[in-house]
Amino acid sequence: MLWETVQLADLTQTKKLFPEYKSMHSQVLQDVIQRVQTTMDNFTQADKNGKTSGRPRFKGSNYYNSFSYPQLSNTNIVKNANGRFCINLPKIGLVPFVYNRPIPKGFKVKTGTVIREVDGLYISQLFIFKNL
């Protein structure tokens, strides 16, 4: 059994033991578990050239610079009362962002990653082509 499967199954118990986890969206927590599993897989399994990545090192909470929402949609982009474009992130609410170009016709928002940089927070969105 994979470590990832055990951790995903244990998320509900983790939320009971650590009440602060209830304030986080479940898909964000699942994505974190999948990131750790990918890191361990890259360490233990060789790539096509026969090389593995270095040993994973513990990183404290201040080193974790991003988190992802794996399922966003175009409906998450709204205007607030001041007329600024915002993205409605589950469990967080409206977060203003720079909407510098429209979503191309036939595409939809797939995922959103909130990234912490030195000068603030940024949202990176991944678009996919929607079959019509």
Side-chain angles (χ1 to χ4, degrees):
M1 186 182 316
L2 285 175
W3 174 87
E4 177 183 15
T5 309
V6 173
Q7 290 293 313
L8 288 171
D10 203 36
L11 265 180
T12 54
Q13 185 64 25
T14 302
K15 284 185 173 185
K16 289 177 186 172
L17 291 173
F18 302 98
E20 61 271 15
Y21 280 33
K22 290 181 183 178
S23 65
M24 296 179 226
H25 194 266
S26 61
Q27 291 180 349
V28 172
L29 293 172
Q30 291 166 3
D31 184 63
V32 171
I33 292 170
Q34 290 168 350
R35 284 183 181 193
V36 173
Q37 182 65 44
T38 301
T39 302
M40 293 306 293
D41 289 346
N42 291 341
F43 172 60
T44 58
Q45 300 169 3
D47 63 6
K48 64 180 179 177
N49 298 324
K51 301 198 180 213
T52 60
S53 63
R55 178 176 57 86
R57 288 160 183 80
F58 174 77
K59 305 237 192 253
S61 60
N62 57 335
Y63 288 101
Y64 212 111
N65 292 328
S66 66
F67 59 92
S68 296
Y69 285 92
Q71 292 181 337
L72 286 180
S73 69
N74 295 1
T75 59
N76 289 68
I77 300 173
V78 295
K79 279 190 175 182
N80 66 6
N82 298 334
R84 286 193 68 187
F85 281 102
C86 295
I87 188 157
N88 191 10
L89 296 175
K91 297 272 188 157
I92 292 178
L94 294 177
V95 177
F97 75 104
V98 177
Y99 193 55
N100 57 357
R101 63 185 131 176
I103 299 170
K105 203 171 206 83
F107 284 75
K108 70 175 196 168
V109 177
K110 176 67 176 155
T111 64
T113 302
V114 178
I115 305 164
R116 181 181 63 191
E117 294 287 339
V118 174
D119 57 345
L121 295 174
Y122 293 92
I123 298 174
S124 172
Q125 297 175 337
L126 173 68
F127 301 99
I128 61 165
F129 185 70
K130 179 173 52 174
N131 292 336
L132 300 175

